[in-house]
Amino acid sequence: MSVIKVHDKEFQPYIDEVALQQRVKEMAEQINKDLQGERPLFIAILNGSFMFAADVFKYLTIEAEISFIKLASYKGTKSTGNVVQAIGLDEDLFGRTVVILEDIVDTGKTLSQFLPQLEHQQPKKLLVASLLTKPEAMVHPIKIDYLGFSVPNKFLLGYGLDYDGLGRNLPAIYQLVEAGQ
Ligand code: IMP
Ligand code: MG
């Protein structure tokens, strides 16, 4: 793998395909052990998580369901600030074991707004599986139950993550080359 250019920026290899697949497989194996017999419902948050969600799901051997949603952000009232709304969530979560699939938890803002909405439906368990997180960027602390990699606060691309719409198709993860590097 070598440096690639997307739009106006350069990205260097960061996590190769083999390491990614290995880690995703380990995450799925842990989920297989933990959630055996619970018939969990996985909720993948589009667009970024589509590749991670597909790979995790392929490595699952337990009975499981999956649903894909999009989060739309709109301006709420002064007290609520920005509000996220789930588009496409038709399932009833009451009494279910639910696992959120995210590509990356960055500031934690998205999930800090979204998880309480799901809790409202009284799932039996509400778990979070995220391929990546940037601890230095976390403003709203989120408990991640299944984590792939903890990464520095630098912009990443590939395996579902985009830079202005491009790069999602890369099978590995790349890191932005910063000026002077
Ligand atoms: P949060 O609300 O700040 O946690 O935002 C998380 C969302 O921001 C992710 O689901 C991604 O879509 C996007 N994001 C955060 N960091 C990156 C990155 O390094 N590359 C591409 N997208 C990112
Ligand atoms: Mg996302």
Side-chain angles (χ1 to χ4, degrees):
M1 296 201 295
S2 52
V3 170
I4 55 162
K5 194 163 183 206
V6 175
H7 291 301
D8 55 331
K9 299 204 187 304
E10 291 194 324
F11 294 84
Q12 63 193 11
Y14 183 61
I15 306 173
D16 70 30
E17 192 175 354
V18 172
L20 259 184
Q21 289 298 322
Q22 177 58 34
R23 188 71 191 120
V24 172
K25 189 163 180 252
E26 285 168 8
M27 293 171 79
E29 284 167 355
Q30 189 61 51
I31 293 170
N32 284 330
K33 271 189 206 150
D34 294 350
L35 304 183
Q36 167 83 45
E38 301 211 22
R39 200 179 288 183
L41 170 65
F42 288 79
I43 299 177
I45 302 179
L46 297 173
N47 294 329
S49 75
F50 78 98
M51 226 180 250
F52 169 57
D55 283 341
V56 170
F57 211 65
K58 277 188 281 187
Y59 291 122
L60 292 179
T61 52
I62 56 172
E63 282 193 335
E65 295 174 31
I66 190 164
S67 188
F68 295 84
I69 63 161
K70 265 203 152 185
L71 292 181
S73 189
Y74 63 94
K75 233 176 148 49
T77 62
K78 224 178 186 174
S79 61
T80 55
N82 274 358
V83 183
V84 294
Q85 187 191 5
I87 299 170
L89 184 58
D90 304 323
E91 287 78 5
D92 184 3
L93 307 187
F94 181 79
R96 304 259 347 231
T97 294
V98 176
V99 185
I100 302 300
L101 296 174
E102 254 291 33
D103 49 354
I104 182 163
V105 177
D106 185 24
T107 64
K109 186 163 182 257
T110 310
L111 288 187
S112 73
Q113 293 179 348
F114 184 50
L115 293 177
Q117 294 180 26
L118 298 181
E119 286 288 5
H120 207 71
Q121 288 198 39
Q122 296 181 275
K124 177 181 162 197
K125 282 184 201 164
L126 181 57
L127 303 166
V128 175
S130 183
L131 179 67
L132 302 158
T133 191
K134 295 178 183 167
E136 297 157 31
M138 188 92 75
V139 179
H140 308 269
I142 298 293
K143 182 172 169 281
I144 301 173
D145 301 279
Y146 302 99
L147 174 65
F149 302 90
S150 228
V151 298
N153 193 9
K154 288 190 183 174
F155 192 80
L156 300 176
L157 178 78
Y159 195 68
L161 295 163
D162 72 306
Y163 168 46
D164 207 4
L166 297 183
R168 294 194 197 275
N169 50 313
L170 295 163
I173 291 186
Y174 289 73
Q175 189 180 59
L176 178 68
V177 178
E178 283 162 12
Q181 209 175 318

